[in-house]
Amino acid sequence: MPKFDFLKTFKIAFGCCLGYTIAQLLGLNYSTSVITITLLSILNTKKETLTTARKRLLAFFGAAFLSFFIFQILYDSLLSIFLYLIFYYLYCQYFKCVEGFSMSTVLMLHLWKAGIYTIPALLNEFFLMLIGIFMAILMNLYMPNRIKLIRAAQKDMERQISSILFTMSKSIFHDKVDENIASQLEKLQTTLAETYVHAKYTENNFIFKDMSYYSSYIQMRFSQYELLKRIHINLPRLKETYHQTALVSTFMNITAVSMHEYNNAEDLLHYLSTLRIKFKAAPLPKTRIEFESRAILFEIVNELEEILMLKKQFADNLTPYQIETFWKHQNT
């Protein structure tokens, strides 16, 4: 069953009607154009709406300038439209405001069709554009807050990653890998993808507050997910168990317990360095199977290290504002 965005539907309907009413009260010609401008300007986030509004205003001024001169010289001929479209589209490409090309062209065609190229006529079109953009900004002043949803999803993905590592720590001793790992990885991927959409939505709905923390956090977890997939591929290649197998299994368990958001992974990386020393101190492999299995174990250790390094890099790259806002306040 399709999901309906009732809030945006209401915003479009109400904003378009309100914009049209204002245009009518101001006595503007072609007031129905406000409806088109409004519905095309109400986008999914505040930043998108404001960015597009700026580009459309920039595009309008270019359209007004070009049409005022080209239509004055060539009047309502087909050649005037041809030249206007060529030069105007080049203008929009140069100033990176192509989003306003179609909308402003429709407004300028009012002048071309009527054969009126006066300042009052241009102001009429400008106010149509301005009312439509203002309605879009006004309608998007309220946007639902998804932070609680993101926070809950963060806890969920941390639990999922811990569960995957716990399951892997057991499977490392067996020839047959636990079939649950594949389904767990698939579920984790879904959680990450869905939460990233909410994170970007939140980031783009705060104008004066940096909310990039959530999207950066989920990107870090996405990278960890890719490494977990690589470990999963390596597990079936382990044919026998050795002393090093138990060491890696224990480290997986320790990592699983320490997967929460506020852990910067420094202690785990220190523990990992002692684990490598134990690996090097062990006697050399006696058979080819042992050599291959221990090489795979070493590769898994490297992948676990990358997982921890990703977390440490994420923590190290946090700004003082992000630490204060998203760690200190949330961790109390």
Side-chain angles (χ1 to χ4, degrees), residues 156-164 184 187-188 191:
D156 186 33
M157 67 181 69
E158 288 163 15
R159 285 192 293 267
Q160 289 181 47
I161 293 173
S162 294
S163 178
I164 290 168
Q184 287 176 317
K187 182 182 177 183
L188 175 60
T191 303

Side-chain angles (χ1 to χ4, degrees), residues 183-197:
S183 60
Q184 287 176 317
L185 285 168
E186 186 177 344
K187 182 182 177 183
L188 175 60
Q189 182 186 30
T190 302
T191 303
L192 288 166
E194 291 176 352
T195 311
Y196 187 72
V197 172

Side-chain angles (χ1 to χ4, degrees), residues 183-215:
S183 60
Q184 287 176 317
L185 285 168
E186 186 177 344
K187 182 182 177 183
L188 175 60
Q189 182 186 30
T190 302
T191 303
L192 288 166
E194 291 176 352
T195 311
Y196 187 72
V197 172
H198 298 315
K200 293 304 291 184
Y201 169 91
T202 300
E203 182 179 341
N204 288 323
N205 273 314
F206 282 81
I207 308 302
F208 304 108
K209 189 176 180 181
D210 179 15
M211 299 297 285
S212 60
Y213 171 86
Y214 293 119
S215 56

Side-chain angles (χ1 to χ4, degrees), residues 288-303:
R288 179 177 177 178
I289 293 177
E290 183 181 358
F291 175 81
E292 291 175 350
S293 294
R294 285 172 60 177
I296 294 165
L297 285 170
F298 192 77
E299 189 175 339
I300 290 173
V301 168
N302 288 337
E303 285 156 352

Side-chain angles (χ1 to χ4, degrees), residues 36 54 64 87 92 119 124 152 159 163 206 226 238 246-247 265 272:
T36 304
R54 179 185 62 80
F87 288 112
C92 289
I119 296 298
N124 182 87
R159 285 192 293 267
S163 178
F206 282 81
E226 293 295 336
L238 295 168
L247 293 176
L272 184 62

Side-chain angles (χ1 to χ4, degrees), residues 84-99:
Y84 163 81
L85 291 173
I86 286 178
F87 288 112
Y88 181 44
Y89 196 66
L90 290 172
Y91 167 90
C92 289
Q93 290 181 83
Y94 182 80
F95 288 103
K96 298 179 180 178
C97 56
V98 176
E99 291 88 340

Side-chain angles (χ1 to χ4, degrees), residues 152-275:
Q154 281 182 286
K155 300 299 180 186
D156 186 33
M157 67 181 69
E158 288 163 15
R159 285 192 293 267
Q160 289 181 47
I161 293 173
S162 294
S163 178
I164 290 168
L165 285 168
F166 279 129
T167 309
M168 285 180 169
S169 71
K170 297 174 184 176
S171 291
I172 203 169
F173 292 104
H174 308 289
D175 292 338
K176 187 178 181 181
V177 178
D178 193 323
E179 294 179 358
N180 288 328
I181 296 176
S183 60
Q184 287 176 317
L185 285 168
E186 186 177 344
K187 182 182 177 183
L188 175 60
Q189 182 186 30
T190 302
T191 303
L192 288 166
E194 291 176 352
T195 311
Y196 187 72
V197 172
H198 298 315
K200 293 304 291 184
Y201 169 91
T202 300
E203 182 179 341
N204 288 323
N205 273 314
F206 282 81
I207 308 302
F208 304 108
K209 189 176 180 181
D210 179 15
M211 299 297 285
S212 60
Y213 171 86
Y214 293 119
S215 56
S216 298
Y217 175 85
I218 295 163
Q219 286 174 333
M220 178 269 294
R221 293 300 189 196
F222 249 122
S223 298
Q224 290 182 326
Y225 156 77
E226 293 295 336
L227 288 163
L228 288 172
K229 283 204 305 183
R230 281 161 51 180
I231 295 174
H232 181 233
I233 292 170
N234 273 327
L235 288 178
R237 297 168 60 195
L238 295 168
K239 303 302 180 184
E240 295 181 356
T241 59
Y242 305 94
H243 174 63
Q244 291 82 2
T245 308
L247 293 176
V248 174
S249 176
T250 300
F251 185 68
M252 280 183 172
N253 284 322
I254 295 171
T255 304
V257 172
S258 307
M259 196 46 64
H260 61 80
E261 178 182 1
Y262 309 109
N263 185 359
N264 63 8
E266 285 188 2
D267 291 339
L268 289 173
L269 286 167
H270 178 72
Y271 183 93
L272 184 62
S273 64
T274 62
L275 184 64

